Amino acid sequence: MTKTKETVQSVDRAVDLLYCFSLNKPELTVNDFVNKTGLNRTTVFRLLTSLKEKGLIVKNEEEGVYRLSLAFVGFGQIVAENLDIRKESLPELKKLSSLTNETVSLNVLQSNRRVCVEKVDGSEDIRQFVKLGYPYPLVRGASGKVLLAHCEENVIEEVIQEWKEMNGDEFDSASFLKELQDIRNAGYCLSKNDRVLGAYSISTPIFNMQKELIGGLSISGLAMRLTEEKEEMFISNAINGAKEISKKMGYIS
C-alpha cells in the first residue's frame, strides 16, 4: 500500500492488516500477519483487537485465526450497486482519445450483439464513425470479436450459427474459433478492413470483481494512419486502459 506524509501510521498499519487477507488465505494467525507486514507481535495484536472491536474482523477463539467480518459483504454491496461502467470508463476514454487522437469507445454485449454505450470522438479530420446504441455483429471487427472471445462456448456457437443463417456465406468455424482463442491468449484484438473497409480497431476486454466480462474498450480509426509504431503503442494504450477500468469495476488480477 502506498504511503504518503498525510497518512496516520496506526490507520495505515491497520489497513495493511486487512490487505493481508485474500481468497487463498481467508483466515490468518497472528504469526501470518507478522510475517506479511513485518510488524512486531505486540503491535499486530493491538491492531487486531481494535479491528475486532469495530466489527471489521472476527476471531475463531478455538483455532486462533482471524477472518474478515460480514461487514465487508455490506461494503461490497454498496460499491457493486453504485458501479456504473459508463461513468467509470469515460475518464479513461477521454484520456486515450487525447493520447491517440482517435475515436475511443466502450462496447457491451446485448442479445448476441455488441452495442456502443459510450464514446469519445477523435480529433482527426477524418475519423471512424461509431453509432451509439446500434447493435453491431460480434463476428466482424475487433470490438465484437474481443467480446465474443470471452463468452461461454454455447453462446459462441449460437452466434456463429446465427451468422451463417442470416448471411448465407461460407464461414470457416474452425479458423474463427482459433482466432477467438488467440484473442483470449493475447488479451486484445486487432482488426483491419474487417467490418468496415479502410478502418482498423484495437479492442481489449473489461472485467468486473467476479472476473466476468462486462465490456470492451476500442480504439478505432483509418487503417492508413496505423503505422507499426502507432499499432504497438495503441495496443499498449488499449490494454492499460481496459485494466484501469476493470480495476475501477472491482477486478483484481
Side-chain angles (χ1 to χ4, degrees):
M1 188 174 176
T2 303
K3 307 291 193 298
T4 67
K5 292 182 179 179
E6 290 74 23
T7 59
V8 179
Q9 188 182 61
S10 58
V11 175
D12 221 20
R13 288 175 170 179
V15 172
D16 285 342
L17 294 186
L18 294 176
Y19 272 109
C20 289
F21 292 103
S22 67
L23 289 175
N24 294 327
K25 295 286 290 183
E27 295 184 332
L28 299 169
T29 65
V30 172
N31 284 338
D32 290 330
F33 289 112
V34 170
N35 293 332
K36 286 175 176 289
T37 64
L39 299 173
N40 63 58
R41 288 180 61 86
T42 302
T43 299
V44 168
F45 185 77
R46 177 172 52 82
L47 292 170
L48 290 173
T49 299
S50 295
L51 291 171
K52 182 172 175 287
E53 290 179 353
K54 289 298 183 181
L56 295 178
I57 62 173
V58 293
K59 181 182 180 182
N60 183 319
E61 298 293 346
E62 292 184 0
E63 299 181 8
V65 295
Y66 296 83
R67 66 175 185 275
L68 295 175
S69 76
L70 292 177
F72 285 93
V73 176
F75 294 150
Q77 186 174 359
I78 293 170
V79 174
E81 291 186 358
N82 286 278
L83 285 177
D84 181 341
I85 188 171
R86 291 176 65 245
K87 180 180 178 181
E88 299 298 336
S89 298
L90 190 55
E92 200 64 33
L93 302 188
K94 290 179 178 178
K95 174 185 173 182
L96 289 177
S97 184
S98 177
L99 280 173
T100 63
N101 297 322
E102 299 285 25
T103 296
V104 184
S105 59
L106 170 68
N107 298 275
V108 298
L109 278 168
Q110 194 172 94
S111 301
N112 288 354
R113 297 286 189 278
R114 67 102 175 167
V115 176
C116 177
V117 295
E118 189 60 88
K119 68 169 181 172
V120 176
D121 289 324
S123 58
E124 297 284 357
D125 291 334
I126 302 177
R127 68 194 71 158
Q128 173 72 350
F129 177 73
V130 180
K131 189 174 181 180
L132 285 171
Y134 185 84
Y136 291 99
L138 293 172
V139 299
R140 289 287 181 262
S143 297
K145 289 177 180 178
V146 80
L147 297 177
L148 187 58
H150 292 85
C151 286
E152 297 291 336
E153 186 175 333
N154 64 306
V155 175
I156 295 175
E157 292 176 353
E158 185 178 314
V159 169
I160 291 175
Q161 185 58 36
E162 182 182 350
W163 177 264
K164 289 180 176 179
E165 292 175 357
M166 291 182 65
N167 294 275
D169 61 351
E170 292 186 5
F171 191 86
D172 188 343
S173 297
S175 177
F176 185 71
L177 291 173
K178 173 63 167 57
E179 182 181 4
L180 295 183
Q181 181 62 54
D182 291 341
I183 292 170
R184 286 192 293 273
N185 293 338
Y188 73 92
C189 179
L190 166 65
S191 65
K192 297 178 183 178
N193 304 305
D194 193 353
R195 188 180 67 81
V196 178
L197 188 64
Y200 80 87
S201 182
I202 296 169
S203 301
T204 47
I206 299 170
F207 302 99
N208 63 12
M209 65 181 70
Q210 286 80 35
K211 302 188 186 314
E212 299 167 334
L213 177 80
I214 55 173
L217 180 152
S218 296
I219 300 174
S220 55
L222 295 185
M224 62 182 293
R225 283 202 298 262
L226 191 65
T227 62
E228 289 186 10
E229 182 180 358
K230 282 187 175 181
E231 180 179 312
E232 183 177 345
M233 181 176 69
F234 288 2
I235 288 173
S236 178
N237 291 154
I239 290 174
N240 291 331
K243 284 182 178 179
E244 284 302 310
I245 298 172
S246 295
K247 190 185 302 181
K248 291 180 180 180
M249 298 304 294
Y251 177 78
I252 300 176
S253 58

